[in-house]
């Protein structure tokens, strides 16, 4: 079986033509021709089948999540997957923008600890807007007042909100010992 081709003389030259034979092997056996081995083992078939089943489960999970996403996105029944994901991305961006607008209008605590200070200097006073967001604890207000007084600041206006164990305090403060008037 080493020689899979036969040389036939035709007129004055030789041509190589395939040797007419049936391969003496089945799909689960091994064959060898010119140093190349072809084999299909039961283990390889099982691994391929297992991989196919795992891939089908993965596709089913993705399709189930896309079906759930279609329920959340308006007019998405006829959308293909790429358009659906693009629409979902735009919806999330829009919701983030709206949440930021609401957060500007209302003082709501966020999940991160933060301190912000914005200065606004009118002609005769120095006002600052100070915002503190942190976990709600009994001593937080005493600490804030101590820090503000230590910086020679007086609270002109305060807004405080607490949601889910978090607190956000917004203050308008002015300096009271540098010749500015606080009103």
């Amino acid at each position: 079986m080493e020689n899979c081709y036969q040389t036939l003389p035709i007129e004055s030259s030789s041509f190589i033509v395939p040797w007419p034979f049936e391969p003496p092997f089945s799909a689960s056996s091994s064959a060898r021709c010119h140093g190349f081995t072809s084999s299909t083992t039961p283990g390889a078939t099982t691994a391929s089948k297992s991989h196919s089943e795992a891939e089908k489960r993965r596709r089913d999970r993705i399709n189930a999540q896309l079906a759930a996403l279609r329920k959340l996105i308006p007019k998405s029944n006829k959308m293909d997957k790429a358009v659906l994901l693009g629409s979902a991305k735009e919806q999330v961006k829009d919701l983030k923008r709206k949440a930021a607008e609401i957060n500007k209008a209302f003082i709501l605590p966020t999940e991160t600890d933060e301190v912000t200070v914005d200065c606004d200097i009118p002609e005769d006073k120095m006002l600052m807007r100070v915002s503190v967001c942190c976990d709600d604890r009994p001593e937080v207000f005493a600490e804030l007042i101590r820090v503000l007084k230590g910086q020679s600041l007086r609270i002109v206006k305060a807004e405080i909100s607490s949601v889910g164990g978090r607190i956000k305090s917004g203050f308008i403060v002015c300096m009271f010992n540098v010749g500015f008037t606080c009103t």
Side-chain angles (χ1 to χ4, degrees), residues 109-130:
T110 61
E111 294 180 2
T112 57
D113 291 349
E114 60 187 10
V115 174
T116 59
V117 178
D118 296 321
C119 293
D120 183 18
I121 304 173
E123 295 173 14
D124 61 341
K125 32 184 141 176
M126 179 164 181
L127 296 175
M128 290 183 284
R129 183 174 297 131
V130 178

Side-chain angles (χ1 to χ4, degrees), residues 31-116:
R32 183 173 173 88
C33 182
H34 293 293
F36 295 104
T37 302
S38 167
S39 68
T40 307
T41 61
T45 304
T46 304
S48 176
K49 187 176 180 180
S50 175
H51 175 72
S52 296
E53 290 171 355
E55 182 63 22
K56 183 179 182 332
R57 285 191 304 272
R58 185 188 72 81
R59 285 192 312 270
D60 288 344
R61 284 194 319 268
I62 290 171
N63 288 333
Q65 294 301 324
L66 287 171
L69 187 59
R70 282 184 200 285
K71 292 178 183 176
L72 298 173
I73 304 296
K75 300 176 187 173
S76 64
N77 291 338
K78 303 282 183 179
M79 290 181 189
D80 67 1
K81 293 174 184 177
V83 174
L84 176 66
L85 291 174
S87 179
K89 179 186 77 169
E90 291 303 317
Q91 185 98 4
V92 168
K93 281 183 179 179
D94 187 47
L95 290 172
K96 279 186 172 182
R97 182 186 53 76
K98 287 177 181 175
E101 287 175 8
I102 289 171
N103 201 16
K104 287 179 185 174
F106 300 101
I107 184 167
L108 294 174
T110 61
E111 294 180 2
T112 57
D113 291 349
E114 60 187 10
V115 174
T116 59

Side-chain angles (χ1 to χ4, degrees), residues 120-128 152-154 173-183:
D120 183 18
I121 304 173
E123 295 173 14
D124 61 341
K125 32 184 141 176
M126 179 164 181
L127 296 175
M128 290 183 284
S152 300
L153 298 171
R154 189 171 92 189
V173 296
C174 70
M175 299 188 81
F176 63 82
N177 67 353
V178 290
F180 292 105
T181 59
C182 293
T183 56

